[in-house]
Amino acid sequence: GDGSYFPGAGWTGQPLLVNWPEKTRKAMGFEPEFADKDLVEVLYPVFDGNVYRIDLETGKQTKPPMVTGCGFKGTGSVDPRGYPLLYAGQGLDDMDADEDTKDCPFRYRIFDLIQNEEVSGWSGDDEVRPRKDWGAFDSSALVNAATDTLIEPGENGLIYKVKLNTKFDAKAKTVSVDPKLTKLEYKTTISGKFGIESSAVAYRNLMFASDNDGNLICWDATTMQVVWARDVGDDSDASMVLEETPEGVFLYHGNTLDDRGHAGDDNFTYLRKLNALTGEVVWEYQVPTVASYPNNGGLLATPVLGEGEISDLVIFNVSRTTEPLLCVFNKCLGDYGGELLALDRKTGKAAWTRALEFWSWSSPVVFTGKDGHSYGVFADASGTLHLFDPNTGEDYSTVSLGKNVEASPAIYNDMIVVASYDKKIFGIKIS
């Protein structure tokens, strides 16, 4: 909103790029320009309260934006069955600069992409929530196609398991849901703030997420019971990645510098590989981090597992590892820096590290080029999008997107899509 702190799109803010099945595309009732096209559609919920719908190839709007009037801060989810349904949680409760007026009650929203409007959802101000002062939904939902079930952790301290009761009739051009909610409230010896901002990671019936208190929890999605919990030392916001190998199932995780920054006695971000079935730490790597408020330093970006020629690496993007050169009366010369680094997945030792001039919350994305080589992209607080070599961390090329890019880019074939604080959505071609 006008005069607000959050313009454009921000953390985590990754667009969804969807190549629709033909029957779904025809059911959605696009104009002829798109109705007969093998359409890849960009679905993008952003800060201004709109969900934009864009043709990936041309940048033209495929349908008018879906208007909610309330800001989205996380990344949406599209139904994995090819159904015309979008799931997106509201991350902000205020749309203007007046902090005394909260004009957007927190809500998780389900959108019918045929009618082009919200058709269902539930409130973040849940009566049984353990966290009473905040009810945002930053997590990206996971939908199990086989069971018609959605999982969504909330910042109100609850984990929601939702039987969707979905009905989709492509010929009749109708889709509907009738959500039935089951709620998990977990509590450990360190629970106090509550609230999950990371998205859930799934392995068979087990699910994993980390929270604002420093809990990393594993729960059974079938029984909705906690299996194990581990104290990871501080607030953890970035979503984990999971790896299944002949040696076992593993999680890659990192925390932020939040509560420890106030105390000042442990100014490190801990990057860890953990056994997903037991919570046991396999290895740990420390990155010196600067305490900064109100926005924490540390790992806010989801790590990425390498493939092909970099299949032995996991790449992390850690923010605020160095301070501005000089700050006087809240005005600073320079900005907080960061560190991009690749660790060996078996040993946890650094294959390479790269100091970043500007901090970054944008999750790196790795892809394979037509030449068979691996490439990576990430964005930073200066508004720069980097195309880099994941073997070394060095840039091949950069492009300016105007202002801070907290959002994570998404890639489809040779197109990158991401939005910045410059209030623009960009389509960037890779060649």
Side-chain angles (χ1 to χ4, degrees), residues 5 7-11 320 335 359-362 379-384 401-407 419-423:
Y5 180 77
W11 187 88
R320 306 198 177 205
D335 205 337
W359 60 274
S360 170
W361 290 354
S362 176
D380 67 27
S382 74
T384 302
L401 304 186
K403 293 182 180 179
N404 180 13
V405 185
E406 287 179 1
S420 79
Y421 268 37
D422 205 25
K423 302 181 183 180

Side-chain angles (χ1 to χ4, degrees), residues 1 13 15 32 129 174 202 229 278 290 302 319 330-331 378 401:
R129 68 193 188 279
T174 60
T278 66
V290 176
T302 295
S319 71
N330 294 324
K331 292 187 177 181
F378 77 98
L401 304 186

Side-chain angles (χ1 to χ4, degrees), residues 10 15 30 39 47 54 95 126 164 179 219 247 290 295 342 366 368 417:
F30 292 114
L39 180 68
F47 279 150
I54 300 169
M95 286 299 287
D126 199 299
L164 292 167
W219 72 95
E247 291 77 35
V290 176
N295 298 320
V366 169
T368 302
V417 181

Side-chain angles (χ1 to χ4, degrees), residues 331-361:
K331 292 187 177 181
C332 296
L333 177 65
D335 205 337
Y336 290 94
E339 186 171 327
L340 189 72
L341 65 157
L343 303 182
D344 185 283
R345 276 148 68 166
K346 289 190 175 180
T347 67
K349 294 182 179 179
W352 54 260
T353 64
R354 172 187 171 183
L356 302 177
E357 183 180 358
F358 296 94
W359 60 274
S360 170
W361 290 354

Side-chain angles (χ1 to χ4, degrees), residues 182-376:
T182 302
K183 306 165 191 177
L184 169 61
E185 179 186 346
Y186 66 92
K187 186 177 291 186
T188 74
T189 56
I190 65 168
S191 294
K193 285 191 283 188
F194 299 99
I196 296 175
E197 295 180 56
S198 66
S199 300
V201 178
Y203 178 72
R204 298 183 180 178
N205 61 309
L206 300 179
M207 307 200 80
F208 311 87
S210 51
D211 74 2
N212 295 151
D213 287 306
N215 288 300
L216 194 167
I217 65 167
C218 167
W219 72 95
D220 187 317
T222 304
T223 64
M224 292 296 279
Q225 297 293 318
V226 173
V227 177
W228 58 260
R230 168 173 283 278
D231 181 357
V232 292
D234 210 335
D235 182 8
S236 300
D237 298 327
S239 300
M240 293 175 280
V241 291
L242 183 141
E243 173 188 38
E244 183 179 20
T245 73
E247 291 77 35
V249 184
F250 303 101
L251 297 166
Y252 294 89
H253 172 273
N255 58 19
T256 66
L257 183 61
D258 188 0
D259 291 336
R260 293 170 300 130
H262 291 284
D265 55 354
D266 181 8
N267 291 343
F268 291 94
T269 295
Y270 292 90
L271 309 177
R272 297 183 176 105
K273 178 179 180 177
L274 303 103
N275 185 315
L277 303 184
T278 66
E280 176 187 5
V281 175
V282 179
W283 52 249
E284 178 179 281
Y285 187 93
Q286 300 179 16
V287 180
T289 304
V290 176
S292 59
Y293 303 99
N295 298 320
N296 299 336
L299 188 71
L300 277 296
T302 295
V304 60
L305 297 177
E307 297 180 351
E309 65 185 5
I310 57 165
S311 60
D312 57 334
L313 301 180
V314 56
I315 299 173
F316 291 89
N317 182 14
V318 182
S319 71
R320 306 198 177 205
T321 56
T322 59
E323 295 187 89
L325 294 175
L326 177 66
C327 290
V328 179
F329 300 118
N330 294 324
K331 292 187 177 181
C332 296
L333 177 65
D335 205 337
Y336 290 94
E339 186 171 327
L340 189 72
L341 65 157
L343 303 182
D344 185 283
R345 276 148 68 166
K346 289 190 175 180
T347 67
K349 294 182 179 179
W352 54 260
T353 64
R354 172 187 171 183
L356 302 177
E357 183 180 358
F358 296 94
W359 60 274
S360 170
W361 290 354
S362 176
S363 300
V365 180
V366 169
F367 63 96
T368 302
K370 289 183 179 179
D371 57 6
H373 290 298
S374 296
Y375 298 86

